[in-house]
Amino acid sequence: MSNSQDQRGDSPVRVEQAAPGYRRVIFDNPPLNLYDPEVETALAEAVAELEADPGVKVVVFDSAVPQFFMAHLNLGRIEEFGPGMPTWFDLVDRLGRARFITVGSLRGRARGIGNEFLLAVDVRFASREHAVLGQLEIGTGIIPGCGGLQRLSRLTGRSRALEIIASGEDYDAETAERYGWINRAVPDAELDAFVERFARRVASFDADALIAVKELLNQEAPAPSAASLAATHARMVELLDRDFVQERLRLSAKAAPEAVLDLELHMGERIGSRALQH
């Protein structure tokens, strides 16, 4: 465990040293692991720490919250992230260019910005039984505005990305694997050991060779342009500002915690019926 983890105390994002060259970053913002401003601040600190350590070769991102890797962006607090969410776009760009390889270990739900975060890391492994992925925005009357449109279409192709985003449905790990959305669906009982073995194996190899692999692959498949991402985010904000969308957010904010949890657990099943009510 790194010293900085002790300094951050109850931070919603913590860094642990798993082995030489290998770090784990754990999201811990119960009950839903929402992407809140506090999560963003702590994630920025974690990424800066990783960048400052020349010994880091591989970083695994996972969750300490059962059933949720990262539920979605806290839309009720979107203004706190700043116009255009500059910190978010800077973070995922830096992770894409980082000298270390990034791995997402998914057990639970990753919807909205949670899925967009996974799309921004280098490698994704998921629990066959318990992983749930999706872009839920369409049910609220908006679109993915944090890179999901661009990165998902590059992995799955246009038609499947359109299916995923326009349906707002939940997708299991086996389907995501077939679509090219994730690298591999792994039996849940084997997921932790599988990810651990992969990370330790990568950490055992020469740092300069690993850096070269990532740099060259980035040249062959460059990240989405800043202009494209900014334009998509601006379109999302336009849709978000409409009165009926804001009314939905106000109603959601008034819901009892048990009702919110139930909805979050079954979002893919219910998002269509919610949309038809308006």
Side-chain angles (χ1 to χ4, degrees), residues 116-129:
E116 289 172 309
F117 181 83
L118 285 172
L119 293 172
V121 302
D122 298 319
V123 179
R124 291 157 293 281
F125 300 121
S127 163
R128 184 172 295 160
E129 297 89 343

Side-chain angles (χ1 to χ4, degrees), residues 55-137:
V56 178
K57 300 178 187 178
V58 59
V59 178
V60 172
F61 293 88
D62 64 11
S63 167
V65 178
Q67 300 182 300
F68 293 96
F69 176 87
M70 186 185 294
H72 50 77
L73 179 71
N74 190 338
L75 284 172
R77 301 179 65 187
I78 192 168
E79 293 183 359
E80 297 178 47
F81 293 100
M85 295 187 64
T87 301
W88 161 261
F89 285 107
D90 176 64
L91 285 173
V92 293
D93 178 66
R94 284 158 58 193
L95 288 174
R97 293 184 289 104
R99 66 180 178 278
F100 46 82
I101 292 170
T102 54
V103 181
S105 179
L106 174 62
R107 177 183 282 115
R109 289 147 183 82
R111 301 189 184 105
I113 205 170
N115 180 59
E116 289 172 309
F117 181 83
L118 285 172
L119 293 172
V121 302
D122 298 319
V123 179
R124 291 157 293 281
F125 300 121
S127 163
R128 184 172 295 160
E129 297 89 343
H130 299 303
V132 177
L133 302 98
Q135 293 293 157
L136 74 166
E137 293 86 355

Side-chain angles (χ1 to χ4, degrees), residues 218-231:
N218 282 349
Q219 292 173 21
E220 293 297 319
S225 71
S228 171
L229 294 169

